Amino acid sequence: DACITGLPETTDDACYRAMDWLLEIQPALEREVFHAVASLLNLEVDLLFFDTTSTYFCCDEADEPVARDAHGLPTGGEGEEAARAAGFRTWGHSKDHRPDLPQVVVGMAVTREGIPVRVWSWPGNAADTALIGQVKEDLREWTLGRVVWVADRGFASQGNRRLLRRGDDAYIMAEKLRGGSAEAQAALARAGRYAELAGGLRVKEVRISGEERFVVCHNPEAARRDEAVRARLLARLEAMIAGSDKLTQTKRAELRGVISTKPGLARLLRTTAGGLLRVDAAAIKAEEKLDGTYLLRCSDPSLSAEEIALGYKQLWQIERAWRDMKQVIDLRPVYHRKEERIRAHVVLCWLALLLVRTIENACGDSWPDLRRDLEKIQLGSFTGPAGSFRQRTELTSAQHAILAHLELPEPARITELAPAP
């Protein structure tokens, strides 16, 4: 309000000024919001989930490169900072499957209750493996105590694991199964008996090293899905290479190049010594062993194998956060060009998601359902010989319940009462 009040500019100009001001106070705002919400909701932050996504821009050109510091913020520096020069909207690995468009990278930390406690923005070419250091450094100021970080396999580099173990913290991370580390291959090959958890998930812990623990998880339902997907891929591959023996060597090479661009098909293909294309029976057998299986590595010695597996399963909370940011809160499309405005837009979307999650947790229902109920509250205008007034509709039982859960008073029944002149 202090930023907007009294401004002679247009509404758009006032909004831009407000967004610039919001970006200036972002660090203090995030810290105050977290502590306020943590006290209000009695948040548990022993598990903290972190992930990144990308959001693209429908423009033809990326931004001009500018020198940036290690946190991706623009500077006027030289040397090392100049070597990190990049535009904010630039090309990178698109998680929206739009590599043809410039993008920015957005990161978020979420609690086990689904509450988003912090958001970050980086240039569109920022790699996941390079971001953990800044995230850990930024959250260190919040004195959260001991935290177990939960992240997907995109962050499982040795450097990231070393960063997350600093202090008294620990991590739970997924490990790549295909082309993974020697430790991962040894963990998958180790025999052992599975323990079955609620919901059908089966887990077993295998000992590979003294510093880390490995938990192999098998989901029978996911295994059936993997088998069905592979059957469809296999049928597609067989159709593509049918009759390829009659093609010239050049045409077969072209077909092999097309298949190599499709990882799911390429894994099931082999080429004979004579250049013929065949289904790889050995690869299919190896894939069958991985059906429904994923591997977790954890640095916490006090957690049980069940707690490690269930902790990782809660990573869906951040996937849900990204889905709601993009589909409910409309992170995209972004109608801004300047970097500071784009960053402010991301912060506003984070604040909106924080509010949505707080409401959902209090009411025990999804925001779309709650919004549909609240939108039914209407305000009608009435005019007669005695004057005019505005009156809201009667509240339904569902609307009464929502207001009670949120500890909000009912809106006034009569407003803007004005006698006739």
Side-chain angles (χ1 to χ4, degrees):
D1 290 344
C3 179
I4 297 175
T5 301
L7 291 178
E9 299 105 336
T10 66
T11 302
D12 285 347
D13 289 335
C15 289
Y16 289 150
R17 291 278 300 277
M19 293 180 75
D20 294 344
W21 170 74
L22 175 65
L23 194 62
E24 291 178 8
I25 67 168
Q26 179 184 352
L29 173 67
E30 289 173 327
R31 185 168 54 253
E32 292 302 319
V33 165
F34 170 77
H35 287 299
V37 175
S39 300
L40 177 66
L41 301 178
N42 192 25
L43 292 183
E44 295 183 22
V45 291
D46 55 332
L47 284 182
L48 201 57
F49 304 91
F50 175 74
D51 195 15
T52 63
T53 190
S54 57
T55 185
Y56 58 80
F57 296 78
C58 294
C59 55
D60 297 327
E61 298 294 334
D63 295 335
E64 289 294 324
V66 297
R68 296 184 179 274
D69 61 18
H71 292 177
L73 297 174
T75 69
E78 300 178 352
E80 183 179 351
E81 293 180 349
R84 286 192 288 262
F88 194 54
R89 299 180 301 174
T90 191
W91 286 279
H93 173 67
S94 174
K95 298 187 178 183
D96 294 308
H97 308 290
R98 291 304 305 265
D100 58 316
L101 296 174
Q103 64 177 23
V104 298
V105 172
V106 181
M108 190 158 46
V110 176
T111 69
R112 69 163 73 205
E113 295 86 0
I115 302 296
V117 294
R118 185 76 186 256
V119 71
W120 295 263
S121 300
W122 293 283
N125 60 355
D128 283 352
T129 54
L131 306 179
I132 286 289
Q134 179 187 346
V135 172
K136 183 78 183 291
E137 178 182 337
D138 289 347
L139 292 183
R140 185 186 305 134
E141 303 173 359
W142 290 8
T143 61
L144 297 179
R146 183 178 177 279
V147 173
V148 178
W149 292 81
V150 185
D152 217 338
R153 57 180 177 270
F155 300 92
S157 68
Q158 184 175 1
N160 282 343
R161 298 198 306 271
R162 186 165 52 247
L163 281 172
L164 291 181
R165 292 186 68 176
R166 287 181 179 174
D168 203 22
D169 291 354
Y171 58 79
I172 299 173
M173 285 187 173
E175 184 73 11
K176 293 181 179 179
L177 297 182
R178 300 179 182 90
S181 64
E183 295 169 316
Q185 299 304 318
L188 291 173
R190 190 69 58 85
R193 179 176 298 178
Y194 283 99
E196 187 163 343
L197 309 182
L201 182 66
R202 303 163 64 225
V203 300
K204 68 175 179 180
E205 182 173 355
V206 294
R207 295 289 182 177
I208 301 298
S209 69
E211 296 183 354
E212 290 181 302
R213 303 166 60 196
F214 288 83
V215 177
V216 182
C217 304
H218 180 263
N219 186 331
E221 183 179 349
R224 289 189 289 271
R225 290 197 301 268
D226 292 344
E227 183 180 5
V229 169
R230 186 174 56 256
R232 290 195 296 269
L233 290 174
L234 185 57
R236 184 179 173 190
L237 178 62
E238 289 173 340
M240 291 180 70
I241 66 176
S244 61
D245 291 359
K246 299 178 181 179
L247 299 177
T248 64
Q249 186 174 357
T250 301
K251 291 295 184 181
R252 279 201 302 271
E254 291 177 359
L255 178 57
R256 186 171 66 250
V258 170
I259 295 174
S260 69
T261 64
K262 308 177 188 303
L265 298 177
R267 287 199 300 266
L268 307 179
L269 179 70
R270 70 179 179 89
T271 305
T272 68
L276 301 179
L277 305 181
R278 295 288 185 267
V279 171
D280 192 339
I284 293 174
K285 187 175 181 180
E287 289 286 314
E288 290 174 349
K289 295 180 180 179
L290 300 180
D291 284 351
T293 300
Y294 56 94
L295 178 64
L296 306 177
R297 63 194 308 162
C298 177
S299 63
D300 191 319
S302 64
L303 295 177
S304 67
E306 177 180 355
E307 289 171 328
I308 293 171
L310 295 180
Y312 179 77
K313 281 190 67 175
Q314 289 181 288
L315 197 61
W316 68 269
Q317 285 282 12
I318 200 162
E319 298 297 335
R320 174 179 170 232
W322 290 134
R323 184 173 62 251
D324 286 353
M325 281 272 276
K326 293 182 179 182
Q327 298 178 5
V328 177
I329 298 174
D330 294 336
L331 173 67
R332 186 179 62 241
V334 185
Y335 298 103
H336 301 289
R337 176 182 57 83
K338 293 184 177 181
E339 177 174 339
E340 60 270 23
R341 304 271 164 77
I342 297 171
R343 290 181 180 274
H345 171 73
V346 172
V347 173
L348 286 171
C349 289
W350 162 69
L351 289 173
L353 181 63
L354 175 63
L355 183 60
V356 164
R357 286 292 181 267
T358 304
I359 295 171
E360 288 179 333
N361 287 0
C363 298
D365 201 351
S366 69
W367 170 243
D369 289 342
L370 295 168
R371 182 174 59 189
R372 276 192 292 270
D373 282 328
L374 293 174
E375 285 175 341
K376 295 175 183 176
I377 302 176
Q378 302 292 320
L379 194 64
S381 298
F382 302 89
T383 303
S388 62
F389 65 94
R390 305 188 76 186
Q391 178 175 311
R392 67 160 169 81
T393 55
E394 290 286 349
L395 296 182
T396 66
S397 58
Q399 293 162 355
H400 275 294
I402 293 172
L403 295 175
H405 284 306
L406 298 177
E407 300 181 6
L408 294 176
E410 293 182 9
R413 177 76 168 145
I414 303 293
T415 61
E416 300 182 21
L417 181 63

